Amino acid sequence: MDTSDTRQVFKAAAFLVLTIISIPANIFVCYAFLFTLVAEHKLMTADIILCHLSFANLVMALNRSIPQTLTAFGCKNLFDDVGCKLTLFCFRIFRGISISLTCLLSTYQAVLVSPATSKLAPFKARIPQYLWHLMASFYILYSAININAALNSFASFPNNTIPPYTYNLQFCFVSYPDQIGFVSGGLANFFTDLLFIVSMTAMSGYILLLLYKHSKKVRSLRSSESGQSGARAEVKASRAVVTLVSLYTVFFGVDNFIWLYSLTVVRVAPLLSDVRVFFATIYTSVCPVVVIFTNPRVNSKLKFSKPEPLASQTENSKSNV
């Protein structure tokens, strides 16, 4: 790598840090939940979502952070055309799985903290019942949306001439034959992401509203120690979910804003493409760190928190994130 190229130096350092954090952190989160599954023979709904979310983030890091890091350090010809298609397809699918599961997590937490008279109350039983059906539908949705981009992925072009309407990922290219395919593919991803972002933002706003109302009633909860413990666990879980949603909205908001801008130009500047990819990938590092420090089942494996009494653990298991 030519160290005189400032952009390449910063790119290499940024993606190297993301890789060093995201891969071990996501592996650890998956291990913690799988260990719990083996030990207790079950996982709570929120834990299943978080475990699958960490797996999605891990696949994203393997398919994007590592190639970007190697490319920034000067490695070339990482993939052939087939490798590019598979790598891009996996990244696009699990990127969609990441946003849809974050939305599902915020929705489920909103359902858990909603009062029994709320219109969301019936979903307390329905979401766990249809959880795997929902996850399968996410895979089908993002496979359908991104199959065209995967088919238009290439490792290189003849004479190294990059045609118009091409996304340059440095290690692979996504080239569309015309402006219609270029714009329609981008808008399909943009509006799908926007739907999930608006939904998770609405659910997070609802959670914050309930937490505000809860703060006014906290004195009455002190009369019951068990009620206080359960309420505290519920509040911690809700705050963790709101934190994840807020971070996701910021990171992927920047990603989608740049993506939308790129649809208005024939050739996307390499620097702009690098910034977009960085913000599309940073969540894979931040998400597991938040989970490690906020989820009792996970941070107990690192002994970040003292073991809770059995009764308290039973109360907390229903909603901790």
Side-chain angles (χ1 to χ4, degrees), residues 72-94:
F73 277 104
C75 297
K76 298 180 179 180
N77 303 319
L78 296 179
F79 305 104
D80 57 11
D81 286 351
V82 175
C84 282
K85 295 180 190 301
L86 291 176
T87 299
L88 181 82
F89 193 51
C90 285
F91 175 79
R92 290 284 188 90
I93 287 178
F94 283 97

Side-chain angles (χ1 to χ4, degrees), residues 37-296:
L37 177 61
V38 172
E40 302 180 8
H41 306 291
K42 66 176 182 179
L43 280 177
M44 298 296 104
T45 300
D47 293 341
I48 295 174
I49 297 173
L50 284 170
C51 184
H52 204 109
L53 176 60
S54 295
F55 176 74
N57 288 332
L58 176 61
V59 175
M60 287 175 62
L62 293 174
N63 283 278
R64 186 53 59 91
S65 295
I66 290 180
Q68 287 286 354
T69 303
L70 293 176
T71 302
F73 277 104
C75 297
K76 298 180 179 180
N77 303 319
L78 296 179
F79 305 104
D80 57 11
D81 286 351
V82 175
C84 282
K85 295 180 190 301
L86 291 176
T87 299
L88 181 82
F89 193 51
C90 285
F91 175 79
R92 290 284 188 90
I93 287 178
F94 283 97
R95 177 188 178 278
I97 295 298
S98 179
I99 185 173
S100 57
L101 288 181
T102 304
C103 181
L104 179 61
L105 181 65
S106 63
T107 301
Y108 183 63
Q109 189 61 34
V111 168
L112 285 180
V113 300
S114 63
T117 56
S118 170
K119 293 182 179 180
L120 295 177
F123 291 98
K124 290 184 180 181
R126 292 179 183 175
I127 290 180
Q129 181 181 0
Y130 295 102
L131 179 61
W132 295 107
H133 299 80
L134 289 169
M135 290 185 178
S137 67
F138 295 152
Y139 276 97
I140 294 172
L141 171 65
Y142 282 100
S143 295
I145 291 176
N146 293 298
I147 185 64
N148 188 45
L151 294 175
N152 288 301
S153 301
F154 306 95
S156 61
F157 294 102
N159 302 321
N160 294 322
T161 301
I162 302 175
Y165 310 116
T166 297
Y167 292 107
N168 184 357
L169 301 175
Q170 305 300 316
F171 58 90
C172 287
F173 302 89
V174 184
S175 181
Y176 292 88
D178 50 40
Q179 186 178 20
I180 295 177
F182 181 74
V183 173
S184 60
L187 289 179
N189 279 280
F190 174 78
F191 284 111
T192 304
D193 287 356
L194 183 63
L195 175 63
F196 282 113
I197 289 176
V198 170
S199 298
M200 70 173 71
T201 301
M203 290 297 101
S204 296
Y206 178 70
I207 291 173
L208 289 174
L209 177 62
L210 292 178
L211 291 180
Y212 174 74
K213 293 181 178 179
H214 164 78
S215 65
K216 292 185 175 182
K217 301 178 180 179
V218 69
R219 290 184 180 179
S220 63
L221 294 174
R222 292 176 182 172
S223 60
S224 172
E225 185 63 28
S226 60
Q228 185 181 8
S229 176
R232 286 176 178 175
E234 204 170 68
V235 170
K236 288 180 181 179
S238 299
R239 288 175 178 171
V241 170
V242 171
T243 299
L244 287 176
V245 171
S246 300
L247 292 171
Y248 195 102
T249 302
V250 172
F251 297 149
F252 283 83
V254 174
D255 169 27
N256 278 289
F257 177 80
I258 297 176
W259 177 279
L260 190 62
Y261 166 76
S262 68
L263 299 179
T264 65
V265 298
V266 176
R267 297 184 187 275
V268 181
L271 176 60
L272 196 62
S273 179
D274 289 343
V275 172
R276 185 182 72 83
V277 172
F278 176 80
F279 277 96
T281 314
I282 190 173
Y283 187 72
T284 64
S285 300
V286 175
C287 177
V289 172
V290 173
V291 173
I292 288 171
F293 281 93
T294 59
N295 189 286

Side-chain angles (χ1 to χ4, degrees), residues 1-2 5-13 71-74 170 274:
M1 181 183 66
D2 184 6
D5 189 339
T6 305
R7 183 177 69 85
Q8 287 296 96
V9 172
F10 278 104
K11 177 182 175 180
T71 302
F73 277 104
Q170 305 300 316
D274 289 343

